[in-house]
Amino acid sequence: MSEAGIDRIGFATTSLFLDMRDLAKSRGVDPEKYTVGIGQAEQSVAPSSQDSVTLAAAAARDAMKGEDPGEVDMILMGTESGVDASRAGAVYVKELLGLPDRVRCVELKQACYGATAALSWALDYVSMRPRRKVLAIGSDIARYGLNTPGEATQGAGAVALLCSADPKILKVEEDREFLTALAADFWRPTYSDCAIVDGHYSTEVYLEFFSRLWKRYKEETGRGAQDFEAFLFHLPFAKMGLKALREVLKEADPDRAEKLRSRFEASAAYGRRVGNIYSGSLYLSLLSLLESSLLEAGSRIALFSYGSGAEAELFSATLQEGYSSFLAPERHLAAINGRRKVGVGEYEHLFSDFLPSSPQDYSCDERYFAGPFRLAGVKGQKRQYEAGM
Ligand code: CAA
């Protein structure tokens, strides 16, 4: 039996945010539609100098604090906002982190499921090589477009999971149930920097996949709602997870249902402010739960990963003894609280100042340089990344 799991959790987001009430006002929508109906309070806004690579590198750096880079054998980066159709973003991440060349770097793609695939590969790898570690990262910028229904569910950020055979935070169990079926709910053609989404249909597919997997999970494991201290979800927006959780709440006694509901709120706290970070979203829910509520060691948590297109996985994990001393709530809250608020005009300007999809050179606006890593621009069709001063 594998004991592998998550040793450290790193997080990064951008230095700017948009208040959903400001967006609602500007779009002529009742603010409660966004804050209550969809469940989002804020969304991180990315200037062009921040992309899935810089955010992944910043999250990985956060996860690697105090760790030995020489122990890392692989960087696996799940993303659906990759910066190159050929080279893995993880190669840039490796360079920005200054990791030794003796490392494998790969990018994985299946919409928001990519980071779960990375985690799965990482766990199998470290189980076979107990002295080695793997970084599994989910990093994305969610872009739907100005004045679109999806606009209220954008966001930007990354979560990095340092995986080991003797994890300090969470042991990931082998009770994995998964499924894939073709669905045209959300996708992004290579000519577009914004996703195409059938929002209501995607919600249906998400809920149907959760339902199918939860049924199968119960049959295979004999476990039910009473066996879990928390349910975590991929959260494209907070209300989405709540809709799925309702199915479990119907099966729980009142005390358990109340516990699961309040833990769900704790798990959604970071995401309500950062927005959808696609492949890292489920793991942001995990971080939010662990850093904002005290669960006992040994608690079993369910995790539901969903990637449009569509693929989903349901599995469980158990908290390790002393896990809370390996978290960094102050640092992560400071990253969220320290962002500068932008108005709708500045957000629209930043949204439109996107890298040209043509061979011309491009310089990112230096006034928005922030964070440990940034894209300075593109020269001779080569991306110019650098560490911050
Ligand atoms: N006060 C309170 N609530 C209000 C309200 C008001 N004044 N006005 C509306 N609402 C409620 C509605 O009742 C509705 O709630 P329920 O879903 O519980 O019924 C909610 O606000 C949203 O209202 P609408 O459905 O009318 O909103 P919409 O048509 O603008 O679409 C959306 C909402 C589908 C989420 C849209 O934002 C969207 O397309 N988002 C992107 C797609 C997405 O994230 N899909 C999720 C699954 S796909 C996935 O997981 C992959 C991924 O990460 C992208």
Side-chain angles (χ1 to χ4, degrees):
M1 283 287 274
S2 165
E3 293 292 317
I6 298 168
D7 224 23
R8 293 281 192 284
I9 307 176
F11 164 66
T13 188
T14 64
S15 61
L16 307 169
F17 78 95
L18 176 66
D19 189 313
M20 299 310 293
R21 288 164 305 186
D22 292 344
L23 182 68
K25 208 166 143 197
S26 160
R27 302 294 181 244
V29 168
D30 178 356
E32 295 214 337
K33 175 177 172 184
Y34 292 169
T35 57
V36 180
I38 288 177
Q40 294 302 113
E42 299 168 359
Q43 65 182 233
S44 285
V45 171
S48 61
S49 49
Q50 291 295 319
D51 63 15
S52 57
V53 165
T54 61
L55 291 169
R61 178 177 174 264
D62 186 45
M64 289 297 294
K65 271 190 201 315
E67 295 291 316
D68 175 3
E71 289 179 343
V72 175
D73 270 8
M74 295 202 279
I75 303 175
L76 304 175
M77 178 171 158
T79 185
E80 55 187 299
S81 46
V83 299
D84 192 294
S86 169
R87 181 199 283 130
V91 175
Y92 289 118
V93 172
K94 175 255 171 197
E95 291 297 320
L96 288 169
L97 293 180
L99 290 192
D101 289 351
R102 193 199 163 281
V103 64
R104 294 187 180 106
C105 297
V106 180
E107 187 168 302
L108 295 95
K109 179 178 67 182
Q110 182 11 62
C112 305
Y113 177 80
T116 298
L119 174 65
S120 192
W121 183 2
L123 296 173
D124 289 351
Y125 185 88
V126 297
S127 302
M128 308 283 284
R129 298 164 187 81
R131 290 208 300 253
R132 310 306 299 165
K133 295 190 179 178
V134 175
L135 269 168
I137 307 172
S139 180
D140 275 302
I141 295 178
R143 288 170 63 88
Y144 291 95
L146 302 176
N147 272 299
T148 59
E151 187 178 34
T153 66
Q154 297 177 141
V159 175
L161 308 170
L162 184 64
C163 300
S164 81
D166 181 21
K168 306 286 189 299
I169 296 178
L170 205 66
K171 176 183 166 218
V172 179
E173 307 293 342
E174 290 175 48
D175 52 2
R176 313 191 127 217
E177 290 298 331
F178 40 83
L179 75 91
T180 302
L182 190 65
D185 63 331
F186 167 109
W187 68 101
R188 184 169 66 82
T190 46
Y191 60 77
S192 174
D193 56 69
C194 288
I196 297 171
V197 62
D198 182 342
H200 293 283
Y201 177 55
S202 73
T203 302
E204 272 173 41
V205 181
Y206 179 111
L207 293 175
E208 187 211 319
F209 275 31
F210 177 72
S211 209
R212 284 173 66 184
L213 285 181
W214 177 229
K215 183 170 179 288
R216 205 199 301 155
Y217 183 91
K218 286 184 290 185
E219 286 164 5
E220 291 295 323
T221 63
R223 293 190 195 112
Q226 298 299 122
D227 297 297
F228 292 91
E229 294 300 317
F231 272 75
L232 299 178
F233 296 90
H234 163 58
L235 290 182
F237 51 96
K239 182 69 140 329
M240 184 71 259
L242 190 58
K243 288 182 187 213
L245 181 69
R246 283 178 188 147
E247 176 163 351
V248 178
L249 296 183
K250 286 189 286 196
E251 300 166 12
D253 68 34
D255 283 354
R256 178 70 48 175
E258 187 41 42
K259 200 182 266 186
L260 294 177
R261 207 177 282 116
S262 80
R263 300 225 165 114
F264 171 77
E265 283 307 316
S267 76
Y270 286 1
R272 278 188 203 278
R273 300 185 60 193
V274 172
N276 191 359
I277 62 167
Y278 288 164
S279 59
S281 164
L282 169 62
Y283 303 98
L284 187 61
S285 306
L286 170 66
L287 189 64
S288 186
L289 173 74
L290 300 186
E291 294 191 342
S292 54
S293 64
L294 201 59
L295 273 74
E296 283 178 23
S299 296
R300 185 183 293 276
I301 295 168
L303 294 96
F304 176 65
S305 178
Y306 176 80
S308 292
E311 186 157 348
E313 185 155 331
L314 182 63
F315 60 102
S316 79
T318 47
L319 287 169
Q320 300 292 80
E321 206 63 58
Y323 75 91
S324 59
S325 56
F326 296 95
L327 300 168
E330 299 81 15
R331 200 160 73 225
H332 297 144
L333 268 176
I336 297 173
N337 291 336
R339 296 168 304 163
R340 176 172 72 78
K341 179 172 154 171
V342 295
V344 175
E346 191 175 1
Y347 146 71
E348 288 181 345
H349 162 75
L350 289 166
F351 191 93
S352 307
D353 181 17
F354 202 68
L355 265 68
S357 52
S358 60
Q360 76 206 64
D361 286 358
Y362 170 87
S363 296
C364 297
D365 188 339
E366 289 184 20
R367 289 172 301 172
Y368 290 103
F369 282 1
F373 307 108
R374 66 215 177 194
L375 177 71
V378 183
K379 253 190 218 152
Q381 305 196 60
K382 297 188 182 102
R383 295 174 88 86
Q384 312 291 316
Y385 286 104
E386 54 185 44
M389 299 301 148

